[in-house]
Amino acid sequence: GVGSARGHGGSAEEGEAIPGHGALRCVAGLGYANGVMAEVAYCLAVEGLAGVSLPDRAVWLRTLASEIARISDHFSRLTAVSASIGLRSAENVSQQGESSATRLLNALTGGVFTGWVRLGGVASCLPEEFEALWGIAQGEIEATLARFDAAGSSNPSCQKRLRGVAVLSSEDCIAWGVTGPSIRAAGTSRDIRRETPYLAYGSIDFD
């Protein structure tokens, strides 16, 4: 639990009273799969203040976990949007994509809220079966994206409900600190991972 308060506010309140590594369980509560990214951000901040340098393996493993968590989180957002506009088929498809990514993340980290991200590194290396699991998950996720395009993105009902709603220009996104797919959908190629690299992103060539 997070005390009497609920959600993000309660997690922040409780985390302020817990020193160092113990606060990670509160940080993880900021998300489900994306709790891993919150843990990474917290640890990077503390490690930066303490002048702690990470071993290369930990840097790359944190990057890998963050990207898998990002995929799971994006699918969860697609699920929420699909549900809100009544696209049951698209909702079911995106849930399957989220499940595929989350299973892979759990194989890497041991599960949600396990404290895999630690101050100074991570708790464990890649499991022996990870390469095979990666291949399975990659196939499932690519197939799910194609199915979601048909059931969601290209669905006339989806386009009719969402096109022109809550439009953000690239200037609006920059002014409001919007990042990720939203700012790129607004017509800019801006990506913080590329422009202000952290972890191993400075060594990765990606679009």
Side-chain angles (χ1 to χ4, degrees), residues 146-159:
R147 288 167 54 214
F148 185 84
D149 184 61
S153 305
S154 299
N155 188 314
S157 296
C158 177
Q159 295 179 3

Side-chain angles (χ1 to χ4, degrees), residues 50-185:
V52 174
S53 297
L54 295 174
D56 287 345
R57 180 176 294 184
V59 171
W60 282 98
L61 286 171
R62 284 185 181 182
T63 304
L64 176 61
S66 294
E67 286 304 300
I68 299 171
R70 199 183 310 274
I71 294 170
S72 177
D73 186 60
H74 287 342
F75 272 121
S76 74
R77 308 298 174 178
L78 293 175
T79 297
V81 171
S82 299
S84 69
I85 61 175
L87 286 183
R88 229 18 181 334
S89 58
E91 179 185 354
N92 291 336
V93 169
S94 56
Q95 283 178 332
Q96 292 167 17
E98 181 183 357
S99 295
S100 296
T102 301
R103 280 196 301 271
L104 184 63
L105 182 64
N106 289 346
L108 173 60
T109 65
V112 180
F113 308 128
T114 58
W116 181 76
V117 182
R118 307 284 180 89
L119 291 172
V122 295
S124 60
C125 294
L126 289 174
E128 291 183 7
E129 69 276 13
F130 187 81
E131 185 175 357
L133 294 173
W134 174 274
I136 294 170
Q138 181 180 12
E140 292 175 346
I141 289 168
E142 289 176 350
T144 300
L145 286 171
R147 288 167 54 214
F148 185 84
D149 184 61
S153 305
S154 299
N155 188 314
S157 296
C158 177
Q159 295 179 3
K160 199 173 293 185
R161 292 289 300 275
L162 298 179
R163 182 169 287 162
V165 176
V167 175
L168 285 174
S169 67
S170 58
E171 292 79 11
D172 291 333
C173 290
I174 292 170
W176 287 94
V178 176
T179 61
S182 297
I183 192 170
R184 289 189 285 279

